[in-house]
Amino acid sequence: MSSSGEAYQKAREQGRPALVGYLPVGHPTVDDSLAAMRALTEGTTGTGVDLVEIGLPYSDPMMDGTVIQHATTKALELGVHTRDALRAAETVAATGTHCVVMTYWNLVEHYGVDAFARDLAAAGGSGLIIPDLTPDEADEWFEASDRYGLDRIFLVAPSSTDERLARTVSACRGWVYATSVMGVTGARAHTSSAAPELVARVKAVDPEIPVGVGLGVSNGDQAAELGAFADGVIVGSALVRALVEADESGAGAAAGIERMRGIVDDLVDGVRRARPVRQAQ
């Protein structure tokens, strides 16, 4: 089993969904973002997310909502580099928590596909989520990820045809990222009604592969709701907003990180309250 898949398996053994937390590297500074990622693995009680999704800022993020765009734009203005995502992977791996990097393909190509895979594996990262890369265009990534034992996490959406969904699921290694709403990321008042059907479609293709649901979760109640049918609950904007608001108000990074810890506690409680429909065999 791949390492990010192990995070899902451990959660399954505890009878709950995994909690996946996203933060971009570089906001409000690189060092502050690394401190925030460590806090993401701890909450206030020592129990945090099961898997960290490290965002690598990009100048044309087609999937990111306004809160994450704000944070990544500032990170780029301050000079964040691809190698900072590798530092983030080292930081998270040192806590004993699995991590994957979410980035756009152009950055991987510019770094060098084989070199990026090599360096990510050496840093302790488990794999990549690449929103703008489809399996039929990913031959080079297949080769590099196989060479270094990295996960391939592709995205499926409610709009995916059955043929496209099946092809995507079969190309994934580790888990599948299911975007539960159409459009960009962002916390929402209500979770998507399309999510249960999308998860069921993935499970019809491969009953064993874990499915993480993202786009819209902002609190523990929503995490519990999604955890009834998803193997993993992915949260991003709600966590990033705590850091952005503290930065904009002048409260400082430490205050934002403490507020984020409280959000993590609520989410951890939510996934532990979830009652998954499917139990691991």
Side-chain angles (χ1 to χ4, degrees):
M1 169 146 335
S2 63
S3 55
S4 68
E6 289 170 359
Y8 279 85
Q9 181 62 30
K10 182 178 179 180
R12 279 182 175 178
E13 291 170 356
Q14 297 175 7
R16 62 173 178 85
L19 178 60
V20 183
Y22 166 93
L23 284 178
V25 66
H27 180 274
T29 68
V30 171
D31 287 343
D32 288 333
S33 69
L34 300 186
M37 289 179 195
R38 284 191 293 268
L40 197 58
T41 71
E42 302 167 345
T44 65
T45 66
T47 300
V49 302
D50 300 289
L51 178 65
V52 175
E53 183 183 335
I54 299 166
L56 178 54
Y58 182 55
S59 58
D60 187 23
M62 66 177 188
M63 186 177 166
D64 297 337
T66 55
V67 172
I68 293 175
Q69 282 190 28
H70 176 91
T72 56
T73 297
K74 180 170 182 179
L76 289 168
E77 290 172 350
L78 293 175
V80 70
H81 300 287
T82 300
R83 63 178 176 270
D84 293 320
L86 302 174
R87 286 183 59 197
E90 291 177 341
T91 297
V92 175
T95 71
T97 305
H98 298 301
C99 63
V100 295
V101 171
M102 180 172 179
T103 185
Y104 292 85
W105 184 241
N106 184 56
L107 294 178
V108 179
E109 276 196 315
H110 187 265
Y111 191 97
V113 178
D114 189 82
F116 192 97
R118 177 199 66 209
D119 292 351
L120 178 59
S126 298
L128 286 178
I129 303 167
I130 310 175
D132 61 340
L133 184 68
T134 59
D136 49 345
E137 299 173 339
D139 288 349
E140 193 172 5
W141 171 227
F142 285 139
E143 293 175 5
S145 57
D146 284 344
R147 184 173 298 117
Y148 297 101
L150 294 173
D151 291 340
R152 299 187 289 261
I153 303 119
F154 291 103
L155 277 66
V156 296
S159 61
S160 299
T161 65
D162 289 344
E163 180 182 2
R164 169 65 67 179
L165 185 142
R167 185 181 305 128
T168 302
V169 171
S170 65
C172 288
R173 180 165 59 207
W175 51 286
V176 178
Y177 193 128
T179 59
S180 63
V181 294
M182 299 301 296
V184 297
T185 60
R188 292 171 170 81
H190 303 284
T191 56
S192 169
S193 60
E197 179 182 354
L198 181 56
V199 172
R201 291 176 63 200
V202 172
K203 292 295 183 178
V205 174
D206 185 345
E208 297 303 320
I209 195 165
V211 185
V213 175
L215 304 184
V217 177
S218 60
N219 57 54
D221 288 342
Q222 290 179 343
E225 179 185 344
L226 262 66
F229 57 85
D231 300 297
V233 178
I234 305 169
V235 185
S237 293
L239 301 168
V240 178
R241 180 178 290 111
L243 303 178
V244 168
E245 290 180 349
D247 184 54
E248 290 185 332
S249 69
I257 290 172
E258 285 308 303
R259 180 178 176 186
M260 188 198 71
R261 287 181 188 270
I263 296 170
V264 170
D265 289 349
D266 182 42
L267 294 166
V268 167
D269 176 68
V271 296
R272 293 184 183 278
R273 285 188 282 114
R275 294 294 179 265
V277 174
R278 299 178 311 276
Q279 296 293 334
Q281 298 299 318

